[in-house]
Amino acid sequence: MEKFSLTDIKKMNYSDVYHFIYANDKCSKQSIANALQMSLPTVTQHLNMLLEEGFIETCGQLQSQIGRKAVAYTITPAARVSIGVEILKNKLTIAILDLYGHIRFQKVCRIPFQDSADYFKEVSTEIRQFILEHEIEGKNVLGIAFALQGLVSQDSRNIIYGKILDCTGLSIASFEKYLDYPCRFVHDAECAAMTELWDHPELSHAVYFSLGYHLGGAIIINGEIQSGRTGRSGTIEHMTLVPGGLPCYCGQMGCMECYCSANALLAGTGDSGNEDLDAFFEA
Ligand SMILES: [Zn+2]
């Protein structure tokens, strides 16, 4: 049997109380004690610590049939935030998300991607200003994830394949140099699949398809995104659909990308591209 020290148990209880409130918005001290089988003084102690550290707050009182009304506790969603940055060829989007994963602030910058120091510096300045603008303290920023069209190494630090942006070999150090927060890359399709998982935690096995101007995908097994040993699993867009077919940006012929991406669907449809895409989905 594993041995736990008193400090470990305290930490676990503290975390359990927080997670219970996180999952059950507006709860009373008594309901926490009942659900977690803790004594009221123990729950009180943890609630006080969580209040002191700004992780939770009180939010009125709960209706009760008997006795006096109980104080309701809820988490403070913006006690910590994370930053998401989507890098595209012609623009980037910066979003600030709270602990429920809700976007609190978002902005689009028309900065075209370049694999150059000037670009990394400019983007980092935009991010820092955005954080400042919303009066978020640096210590409350958990980290920054950069999503882009490219495959990412297992440690999230390098782009191992980035043909669309022409950024193969790009290191996260290029951004970290200018930002005082933990940074990582995420493959954009995986990022979108992660959002689906966050919203639907009951998903166990699934194939995620992202139909954008480029096609993307991800494979979910046992509720987790599978990147495979080489970080290439789920790249559905490069499965051969037509042997010897149209040339793909990846260098192969007849990939799904060449036939099913929005770029391919819109190719040669004249100047009313959006109408044609709508017609496609209607059909
Ligand atoms: Zn391809």
Side-chain angles (χ1 to χ4, degrees):
M1 204 181 129
E2 258 183 289
K3 276 191 187 155
F4 295 108
S5 72
L6 205 59
T7 322
D8 290 336
I9 294 169
K10 254 192 164 173
K11 264 189 207 159
M12 275 191 283
N13 286 346
Y14 176 79
S15 166
D16 286 349
V17 169
Y18 178 78
H19 283 102
F20 183 81
I21 306 172
Y22 183 95
N24 304 276
D25 193 28
K26 293 189 186 123
C27 29
S28 68
K29 195 184 290 183
Q30 187 67 57
S31 70
I32 301 168
N34 292 348
L36 301 176
Q37 296 187 315
M38 284 179 202
S39 71
L40 273 177
T42 304
V43 175
T44 306
Q45 191 192 355
H46 292 305
L47 287 176
N48 287 341
M49 270 165 72
L50 287 164
L51 281 167
E52 220 168 89
E53 283 164 44
F55 282 117
I56 61 166
E57 56 200 48
T58 55
C59 59
Q61 293 184 318
L62 293 166
Q63 290 295 335
S64 157
Q65 301 295 82
I66 43 153
R68 57 191 182 128
K69 290 177 180 170
V71 176
Y73 295 91
T74 184
I75 73 148
T76 306
R80 296 287 184 274
V81 297
S82 50
I83 316 285
V85 182
E86 184 193 31
I87 294 176
L88 290 172
K89 212 168 194 150
N90 294 314
K91 63 171 184 181
L92 74 132
T93 305
I94 308 171
I96 298 179
L97 293 93
D98 65 25
L99 290 168
Y100 275 126
H102 297 149
I103 295 175
R104 291 181 92 88
F105 310 105
Q106 184 172 317
K107 84 163 172 183
V108 176
C109 311
R110 302 271 158 201
I111 309 175
F113 177 81
Q114 277 176 51
D115 192 347
S116 74
D118 282 349
Y119 174 82
F120 305 127
K121 205 170 170 178
E122 192 180 354
V123 170
S124 304
T125 305
E126 288 286 348
I127 297 169
R128 282 203 315 267
Q129 270 174 2
F130 197 49
I131 295 169
L132 263 178
E133 242 168 68
H134 294 289
E135 295 173 358
I136 293 164
E137 282 184 63
K139 70 175 175 55
N140 293 339
V141 176
L142 295 172
I144 307 174
F146 294 86
L148 40 71
Q149 296 160 315
L151 300 182
V152 173
S153 62
Q154 263 188 341
D155 62 4
S156 309
R157 296 195 53 82
N158 296 290
I159 301 299
I160 53 172
Y161 185 84
K163 270 275 170 75
I164 296 174
L165 295 173
D166 192 17
C167 63
T168 302
L170 180 63
S171 159
I172 196 71
S174 306
F175 286 108
E176 276 179 341
K177 213 186 286 176
Y178 307 106
L179 294 162
D180 240 356
Y181 310 101
C183 296
R184 59 179 294 196
F185 286 129
V186 195
H187 178 201
D188 65 344
E190 285 187 23
C191 198
M194 276 178 212
T195 309
E196 289 299 320
L197 267 181
W198 180 271
D199 284 339
H200 304 278
E202 73 284 0
L203 275 179
S204 49
H205 308 308
V207 176
Y208 178 82
F209 256 105
S210 149
L211 176 60
Y213 286 100
H214 289 283
L215 197 65
I219 291 175
I220 295 165
I221 298 174
N222 291 326
E224 278 180 24
I225 311 242
Q226 299 298 313
S227 309
R229 266 185 306 131
T230 56
R232 283 170 166 78
S233 107
T235 49
I236 299 154
E237 61 273 30
H238 299 297
M239 284 191 340
T240 307
L241 197 64
V242 180
L246 294 169
C248 178
Y249 66 80
C250 75
Q252 297 188 95
M253 315 280 266
C255 293
M256 253 180 110
E257 163 75 22
C258 313
Y259 300 90
C260 304
S261 64
N263 271 341
L265 295 171
L266 293 175
T269 51
D271 52 9
S272 54
N274 280 328
E275 276 172 35
D276 288 304
L277 200 57
D278 289 342
F280 169 81
F281 279 111
E282 252 168 60

